Amino acid sequence: MASSTLICDSEPWKDLQAHVDDINKTHLRDLMNDTNRCQSMMVEFDGILLDYSRQRANLDTLNKLFNLAEAARVKEKINRMFNGEHINSTENRSVLHVALRAPRDAVINSDGKNVVPEVWHVLDKIRDFSERVRSGAWVGATGKTLKDVVAIGIGGSFLGPLFVHTALQAEAEAIECARGRQLRFLANVDPIDVARNITGLNPETTLVVVVSKTFTTAETMLNARTMREWISSALGPQAVAKHMVAVSTNLKLVEQFGIDPNNAFAFWDWVGGRYSVCSAVGVLPLSLQYGFSIVEKFLKGASSVDQHFFSAPFEKNIPVLLGLLSVWNVSFLGYPARAILPYSQALEKLAPHIQQVSMESNGKGVSIDGVPLPYQTGEIDFGEPGTNGQHSFYQLIHQGRVIPCDFIGVVKSQQPIYLKDEVVSNHDELMSNFFAQPDALAYGKTPEQLQKENVPEHLVSHKTFSGNRPSLSILLPSLNAYNIGQLLAIYEHRVAVQGFVWCINSFDQWGVELGKSLATQIRKQLHASRKKKESVEGFNFSTKMLITRYLKASADVPSDPSTLLPNI
């Protein structure tokens, strides 16, 4: 296809549009009766089982989706990504988060240079530094061991590392490696987040990791200055160099801030923020908490899926299948949302991370060539762990809007519990729901079934479930660092596949810029109004009234305050 031609003009796209009528004539109850179909819709790789038989699709659908992938040149785009070509064309950058977890002897080029040695130089530096901190060879200004870490960052510098940290907290090996240590994440510029993060911490035993590529991100740097003041007010300004390190590429600003540039850990322009958890952004704080050996297993899990994504044929390629099915659900069946439903409390931060990976990547309105799109891209992602979500929003999923669901289960619990005389263990109870919910969504319950159960006639319509609601199931063997890395990479590549099919740039995020630039104007106004009592000017009526009301109601804020830190 020519670059100006949209994928919706291709014959495979039109073929899928026509195919929707065929699928609408079929209920999942009937599709699930086809054993051969169901068997063909199960894929295994490296201990992971994907079952997508409860998607509203048949084998013909899959063939048509593969034709669409060919028309969109998905394989070519995957190869271009792994080859380091500048597929992020609006920023003229490679997209090489796969290089962050590549084996030491791999060759992955960007601009004609193998970047893997640079990656491992930083990883080795993190290994050395984290081991010195954990062993007590590196101590704080007063000679005490640094056992507590506060990582400051927002967006991609926060959500991914928090997901991995939360997933590891109850894992047996990770617990042992983290004994006596704690890791906290400070993201929100809201002072309450600062207060919560420093509560119970001693500056003498705290190390702060400031994560900002440019060292200019407004929220991150204000929080960093706040934590610098917290440390220096207790231990003196000279203590900052012992208690603060950076993940950044701007060594000049790092040094001006008071952090030794030797204690700055690099990452690169070819790493997008939401894809950066495998860089120093995530590896440094996670290594400080759990040790580098645990984090290296996480990287190996992600790398395993990277190679699968790169080399497996599409009909057995888990990220490709997931991406194509998402395109089918969004662009052809018209489902705008997706629920991410891990049946593991350890994965409670998976959905918030994937919200950013997916919605910031694919929430685009123009093609990669800048042509306005006549079709919708992206999904509204949300989710909660089961069984919590069942008692929250599953009512809407079962009897309200149709929302395709990702069910994620784990064979072996991180923390098994067995009670004498119980019918099943706690984990079996959890997994009973994991296995039941997809069938409930697929099959539903008919009025005839309810009448046979002697349900009162006036309640039949209320208790009827239409079914025919698509889902897929991902079953992991366990939830250790390796499996967590696998899961992360599956979702990252799924998002890329969707973007490749839709012919959008999944690796820029211009949509976050406008609000930030408008906030700069308001920041200047608040400063002028507080300091110089200037009236609010230059805004529309509504914004002017809101700001004026805010300033009036918070008039007790001093115009030239002395430093005040939270006190909880």
Side-chain angles (χ1 to χ4, degrees), residues 7-8 10 12-21 24 56 61 64-65 68 324-335 375-376 501-502:
I7 189 63
C8 60
S10 69
W13 184 283
K14 295 174 183 177
D15 196 19
L16 278 161
Q17 285 180 316
H19 179 63
V20 170
D21 287 339
N24 283 340
R56 292 188 60 213
T61 315
K64 293 177 187 299
L65 286 169
L68 181 67
L324 293 177
L325 289 167
S326 288
V327 169
W328 169 242
N329 285 327
V330 172
S331 298
F332 298 96
L333 297 183
Y335 303 139
Y375 51 87
Q376 296 293 321
V501 173
W502 283 321

Side-chain angles (χ1 to χ4, degrees), residues 37-80:
R37 169 192 170 275
C38 293
Q39 187 174 25
S40 69
M41 292 184 171
M42 293 187 179
V43 178
E44 291 189 64
F45 169 73
D46 199 9
I48 300 169
L49 174 64
L50 166 66
D51 174 7
Y52 62 95
S53 60
R54 293 173 191 81
Q55 290 288 303
R56 292 188 60 213
N58 56 29
L59 299 183
D60 194 26
T61 315
L62 268 294
N63 288 329
K64 293 177 187 299
L65 286 169
F66 294 142
N67 291 338
L68 181 67
E70 184 177 356
R73 305 194 307 274
V74 170
K75 180 56 180 172
E76 176 188 328
K77 292 172 182 177
I78 293 171
N79 291 340
R80 291 182 64 208

Side-chain angles (χ1 to χ4, degrees), residues 140-437:
T142 62
K144 293 186 177 180
T145 300
L146 300 174
K147 62 182 181 63
D148 306 312
V149 173
V150 177
I152 304 176
I154 198 165
S157 300
F158 156 63
L159 291 163
L162 177 63
F163 150 60
V164 179
H165 171 52
T166 307
L168 284 171
Q169 279 181 308
E171 200 271 331
E173 185 181 8
I175 288 172
E176 192 59 37
C177 292
R179 198 169 298 282
R181 310 191 62 82
Q182 58 179 320
L183 171 61
R184 301 182 182 184
F185 291 89
L186 172 55
N188 202 327
V189 75
D190 187 334
I192 291 171
D193 205 17
V194 177
R196 287 176 173 173
N197 271 281
I198 64 175
T199 298
L201 294 188
N202 180 356
E204 291 182 280
T205 60
T206 301
L207 178 69
V208 176
V209 179
V210 184
V211 183
S212 175
K213 182 184 287 188
T214 62
F215 237 59
T216 58
T217 306
E219 302 98 323
T220 296
M221 296 318 299
L222 179 54
N223 279 335
R225 292 191 294 273
T226 303
M227 292 300 292
R228 181 179 63 184
E229 183 63 29
W230 179 70
I231 290 167
S232 59
S233 63
L235 306 176
Q238 76 287 345
V240 170
K242 276 288 189 180
H243 289 263
M244 298 188 81
V245 298
V247 176
S248 180
T249 56
N250 194 333
L251 296 183
K252 181 180 179 181
L253 290 185
V254 167
E255 187 170 21
Q256 289 177 4
F257 186 88
I259 294 174
D260 186 342
N262 292 320
N263 299 326
F265 299 83
F267 60 118
W268 303 270
D269 281 343
W270 42 258
V271 182
R274 57 194 173 276
Y275 298 97
S276 67
V277 65
C278 294
S279 73
V281 168
V283 172
L284 178 58
L286 292 167
S287 293
L288 287 164
Q289 177 68 6
Y290 297 106
F292 186 83
S293 63
I294 293 283
V295 180
E296 191 170 19
K297 293 175 183 177
F298 162 72
L299 296 176
K300 286 180 177 178
S303 180
S304 170
V305 170
D306 292 342
Q307 294 309 307
H308 168 70
F309 176 55
F310 179 71
S311 61
F314 282 5
E315 61 270 17
K316 296 293 183 182
N317 192 312
I318 290 176
V320 168
L321 288 166
L322 294 177
L324 293 177
L325 289 167
S326 288
V327 169
W328 169 242
N329 285 327
V330 172
S331 298
F332 298 96
L333 297 183
Y335 303 139
R338 174 178 61 193
I340 299 170
L341 309 171
Y343 276 66
S344 169
Q345 192 63 31
L347 295 176
E348 64 179 306
K349 295 300 182 181
L350 173 63
H353 175 51
I354 301 308
Q355 280 178 331
Q356 189 197 18
V357 174
S358 174
M359 295 166 76
E360 192 168 89
S361 293
N362 289 340
K364 305 293 168 61
V366 298
S367 75
I368 198 164
D369 302 309
V371 179
L373 298 175
Y375 51 87
Q376 296 293 321
T377 66
E379 292 141 309
I380 303 164
D381 283 294
F382 70 98
E384 280 288 323
T387 57
N388 294 6
Q390 294 177 198
H391 296 268
S392 174
F393 51 78
Y394 276 37
Q395 170 63 44
L396 182 140
I397 292 174
H398 278 289
Q399 290 185 306
R401 293 179 180 270
V402 178
I403 299 174
C405 298
D406 292 359
F407 289 95
I408 303 167
V410 181
V411 173
K412 294 182 179 179
S413 174
Q414 290 179 330
Q415 295 292 324
I417 294 174
Y418 304 100
L419 299 180
K420 186 180 179 182
D421 297 329
E422 288 287 340
V423 175
V424 293
S425 68
N426 294 46
H427 190 65
D428 279 352
E429 177 65 29
L430 175 72
M431 293 302 289
S432 296
N433 287 272
F434 168 80
F435 295 121
Q437 288 292 335

